[in-house]
Structures are given as structure tokens and as C-alpha cells.
Amino acid sequence: MKPGTTRSRPARPAEEDVSSRDQLMNAAASLMSERQSLDFSLSEIAQRSGLNSALVKYYFGNKDGLLLALVERDAAQASRDMEHLIGLEMQATQKLRLHIAAIINNFHRHPYLSRLLHVLLDDRLEDTKSVREIARFFVKPVVRCQREILRQGIASGEFKPTDPMLLYVSLLGACDHLFNARSSLRAAFGVQEITEELRAEYIAHVTDTFIAGLRRR
Amino acid sequence: MKPGTTRSRPARPAEEDVSSRDQLMNAAASLMSERQSLDFSLSEIAQRSGLNSALVKYYFGNKDGLLLALVERDAAQASRDMEHLIGLEMQATQKLRLHIAAIINNFHRHPYLSRLLHVLLDDRLEDTKSVREIARFFVKPVVRCQREILRQGIASGEFKPTDPMLLYVSLLGACDHLFNARSSLRAAFGVQEITEELRAEYIAHVTDTFIAGLRRR
């Protein structure tokens, strides 16, 4: 049964709905994080969550629907944090520092997120629901946050005028690549894992680079 | 028949070998560039090149072998250009400008390259030949070039001391993401294609950002 076929959907208490739905997403998140891979089967989800695998079809339609819902849940928290950040009484430079650290920490906290976004945003799927949905709940809130920080920083004289799109693409690419280039890191630099220390150094490096790039000379 | 089984490999004139091998790679490159996708069949390669699809097995073992050989051919030219750049009498800042433009132009010239590297460098394949090979002929020459430019720029006082690995990851991520984020660009910014103008603006933005980040204050 697919989501949206509400006519035949059995009545359930709302709390149970939320809880089973979240349990399935948690099971997928933990399997993908452990494996550093998007490969899992619906029966593995069932085993991990203790729920019937038919519930995946019931709540999400299919595995892609489950993955999309997971990205949406992760993005929803990030969006709330970004809205909060925009509203703070704080210099734009400092807001941008916190914003960049939050993006990198988000990729770190959800080790499947980088690859999942690459797969769900695949060009070949350009007209699918997943691209439109991810644009709505992931890309657009990040762009909005960066536009606001830029606007404030340009108005205050901290930043030079900068195209928000160029900033978005280069900054997201830099943040994402630490998690996407793991096999290059191993092969070319002998780095076996992204330690806390490396993550902190990377946040400082990306932050310093982009703030220097935005600064008025 | 697989490459390496030289005992049973029929004798052929070297020129013909080079030419058929290159024709198969050219056919793959043009199919992937047109489709903005890695999807093609061996029979499409045969049709496009006018050669028998069995030659793919003969020269490359399989489709992945063909893709790897294609990346290696693209990388070989880039490596020669980087060696040339390192040896020029020129300020490190200017070398870095040319290096960054070359990376972005390379991704642009080979529209399949970004996705192909993501697929071939997939973490799950960490022990495969493809990761080791790409590290050898793609990642390491770029790292070597950046190390040399950094070394020169730090010695001349143009750049502050910087970890080559942090620079590599952030810079490659920023360069690659323009070509990797096409569906985000469409969905969030209404950008339908990467025009010459956008590419030039992006090169200027990434160059200015990273040079500002490296500069001694």
C-alpha cells in the first residue's frame, strides 16, 4: 500500500504512527552509518527496528521514499537551527563561522547524508519528486540562510558584494568533499578515518578560507 | 579475453592498437557527454565507434576497465600540464590561479568526469584496483602540484603555512561541485546550464576565495 492511499489506510493513533515511522528511519540511518554505504534491504530494516518490513511500503512507498523522508527529517532540524542563527544579534562573520561548522558537523553526524544527496540529486532524476523535494527542504533553506548572512555582512561592510549562488556551490562543495573523498584521503594521504581533530582542523580551514574570500580588502 | 593475457593475444601493429583503443574511449566519452550520464551499453560503443564490441573486452576487460582507462587518459594530459606549470618562472599566486582554472576547465571539458570519479572512488570499492589506480594517476599528481605551489608560495612569503591535504580536499570539492550540483542549481537558482559566463565567474570566485584564504595577512 502506498502513502496517499488514505482511503484504505487503517486508523491508527498518531503517536504510534510517529513512533513506528521514526523507528524505521532510525534503523535505516544506523545501518547506513555503520556500513558507510546506502546498501540495506527492507528485511534488514525490519530486523533492526523490530517492525514488519511491510510498514516501509505503508509509510514511505518504497526504499527511496524512506531515504527521502530521512533526509527531510535531518534537514528539518538543520533548517530550524539556521532560522535561529539568522535571527541572532551577532556579526555576519561570526554567523558564517557557525553556519559552516554546522554544515560540516551535519555531514559528520549523518555519515550517509553526503552520498545520499549525491544519489537522490542525480542529474538523471531531474524531474523526479526527490530532486524537487530536496531542493525544497534541503537546498533552499541553506541558500536562504547564506543570502541573509551575506545581506547582513554586505550592509555592515564586513563582506564585499558576492553572488549567493557562487558562494553556495563552492562552500557546499568544500564542506561535502571531506566526507565524499574518503577513498582519496586514504589512498593519497594515508588518512584512515575522519577524526575529531581532522574535522576541527577542516572546519577552521574552510571557515578561514571563505571568510577571507568574502572580506572587503 | 582480458588484458594481461598476453600469451594468447594476437600480434597487431602498434598503431592499430592505439587507434582502436582510442576510438572505443572516444565513443564512450562522447556518449556519456551527450547524455550527461554514465549509462551506455557495449553495443552502443560498437555502433558509435564502428568497431566490434568484443574489442572492449579485449582492450579493457570490461566496461569499468574502459571507464578507468578514459579517466587515465584525461588525467595524463592534465598531469603533463601540471608538471609544466610547476616549472614555470612565475609567482605562486599566479600558478595557483592557473591551476584552479585548469581543474574547473577539465571538469567542464569532460562532463562525465565528475560523476565517474565519484562512482570509481566509491568508498565501498576501497580495495579495488580502480581506487588505487585513480589515486596514482589522478589524485597524486594534483596533490604534488598543489604541494609544490604551496611550498613556493610559503617560501616567497605569498602564502601562510597551510596543510596540503586540507587545501586539496576543500579546493577539489569546490571545483567539482559546480558540475555535481547541476540539479540543485536548476531547482534552487533556475540555472539550466553551465554557460561560458557562469564558468568564468565561478573560476574567478573560487580563485579569489582560495588565494585570499592562503594569503599572509
Side-chain angles (χ1 to χ4, degrees):
Chain A
M1 192 188 299
K2 295 207 169 184
T5 56
T6 44
R7 186 185 296 270
S8 54
R9 184 167 167 168
R12 280 163 180 268
E15 318 81 70
E16 194 196 322
D17 257 35
V18 170
S19 159
S20 306
R21 208 173 171 273
D22 275 344
Q23 279 175 52
L24 294 167
M25 287 195 275
N26 294 344
S30 66
L31 280 167
M32 291 190 295
S33 299
E34 284 164 26
R35 293 176 184 179
Q36 304 207 346
S37 152
L38 306 184
D39 287 335
F40 63 84
S41 67
L42 296 193
S43 63
E44 287 172 319
I45 290 289
Q47 197 169 23
R48 176 68 58 110
S49 65
L51 296 169
N52 192 306
S53 69
L55 284 175
V56 172
K57 287 204 172 62
Y58 175 77
Y59 287 117
F60 308 104
N62 54 32
K63 184 178 161 180
D64 272 3
L66 168 61
L67 294 174
L68 197 59
L70 188 58
V71 176
E72 183 165 17
R73 189 178 69 172
D74 294 344
Q77 181 59 48
S79 287
R80 284 190 290 274
D81 294 346
M82 287 188 289
E83 285 301 315
H84 178 69
L85 178 67
I86 292 169
L88 290 177
E89 288 285 337
M90 185 188 279
Q91 281 211 317
T93 301
Q94 183 58 13
K95 285 186 184 178
L96 189 60
R97 281 193 186 282
L98 294 174
H99 174 66
I100 293 173
I103 294 174
I104 293 174
N105 287 331
N106 237 326
F107 280 123
H108 177 77
R109 200 175 301 125
H110 308 294
Y112 50 85
L113 187 59
S114 167
R115 181 169 305 141
L116 193 49
L117 287 170
H118 282 275
V119 170
L120 293 174
L121 286 172
D122 190 309
D123 273 325
R124 285 170 295 178
L125 306 172
E126 62 170 300
D127 293 309
T128 61
K129 188 184 161 218
S130 68
V131 168
R132 289 194 306 274
E133 289 285 285
I134 290 178
R136 180 178 60 78
F137 63 64
F138 186 89
V139 180
K140 286 180 180 172
V142 175
V143 171
R144 173 177 143 71
C145 179
Q146 293 178 1
R147 269 187 206 279
E148 284 302 308
I149 296 175
L150 271 180
R151 193 195 48 70
Q152 180 190 336
I154 293 165
S156 69
E158 292 166 75
F159 299 152
K160 63 185 177 192
T162 298
D163 182 335
M165 185 176 77
L166 301 181
L167 177 65
Y168 172 83
V169 176
S170 56
L171 180 54
L172 265 283
C175 291
D176 166 86
H177 205 53
L178 181 64
F179 304 95
N180 214 265
R182 277 183 283 218
S183 55
S184 308
L185 283 179
R186 260 193 302 267
F189 297 98
V191 169
Q192 299 299 323
E193 63 165 329
I194 298 163
T195 59
E196 292 292 305
E197 192 189 353
L198 171 55
R199 180 159 54 105
E201 282 174 5
Y202 198 68
I203 288 172
H205 167 77
V206 173
T207 305
D208 288 349
T209 299
F210 280 84
I211 285 173
L214 284 171
R215 203 171 276 146
R216 279 202 171 281
R217 304 239 177 88
Chain B
M1 194 188 301
K2 294 210 167 182
T5 56
T6 43
R7 186 185 296 270
S8 54
R9 184 166 167 171
R12 280 162 179 270
E15 319 81 71
E16 194 196 322
D17 256 34
V18 170
S19 161
S20 305
R21 208 173 171 274
D22 275 343
Q23 279 175 53
L24 293 167
M25 287 194 276
N26 294 343
S30 67
L31 280 167
M32 291 190 295
S33 299
E34 284 164 27
R35 293 176 184 178
Q36 304 205 348
S37 151
L38 307 185
D39 286 335
F40 63 83
S41 67
L42 295 192
S43 62
E44 287 172 318
I45 290 289
Q47 197 170 24
R48 176 66 60 109
S49 64
L51 295 169
N52 191 308
S53 68
L55 285 174
V56 172
K57 287 205 172 58
Y58 175 75
Y59 287 116
F60 307 104
N62 53 33
K63 184 179 162 179
D64 272 3
L66 167 62
L67 294 174
L68 197 59
L70 187 60
V71 176
E72 182 165 16
R73 189 178 70 172
D74 295 344
Q77 181 59 48
S79 287
R80 284 190 291 273
D81 294 345
M82 287 188 288
E83 284 301 315
H84 178 69
L85 179 67
I86 291 171
L88 290 177
E89 288 283 339
M90 186 188 278
Q91 281 210 317
T93 301
Q94 183 58 12
K95 285 187 185 178
L96 189 61
R97 279 192 188 282
L98 294 174
H99 174 66
I100 293 172
I103 294 174
I104 292 174
N105 287 331
N106 237 325
F107 280 124
H108 177 76
R109 200 175 302 125
H110 308 295
Y112 50 84
L113 188 59
S114 167
R115 180 169 306 139
L116 193 48
L117 286 170
H118 281 275
V119 170
L120 293 174
L121 286 172
D122 189 308
D123 274 325
R124 285 169 295 177
L125 307 172
E126 62 170 299
D127 294 309
T128 63
K129 188 184 160 216
S130 68
V131 168
R132 289 194 306 273
E133 290 284 285
I134 290 178
R136 180 177 61 78
F137 62 63
F138 185 89
V139 180
K140 286 181 180 171
V142 175
V143 172
R144 173 176 142 72
C145 180
Q146 293 178 1
R147 270 188 206 278
E148 284 302 309
I149 295 174
L150 272 179
R151 193 195 47 72
Q152 179 189 336
I154 293 165
S156 69
E158 291 165 77
F159 300 152
K160 63 185 176 190
T162 299
D163 182 335
M165 184 175 80
L166 301 181
L167 178 65
Y168 171 84
V169 175
S170 56
L171 180 54
L172 265 282
C175 291
D176 166 85
H177 205 54
L178 181 64
F179 304 94
N180 214 266
R182 276 184 285 219
S183 56
S184 308
L185 283 178
R186 261 194 303 267
F189 298 98
V191 169
Q192 298 299 322
E193 64 166 328
I194 299 164
T195 60
E196 291 294 306
E197 192 188 353
L198 171 55
R199 181 160 51 106
E201 283 174 3
Y202 197 67
I203 288 173
H205 166 77
V206 173
T207 305
D208 288 349
T209 300
F210 280 84
I211 286 173
L214 285 170
R215 202 171 277 145
R216 277 201 173 282
R217 302 238 179 87

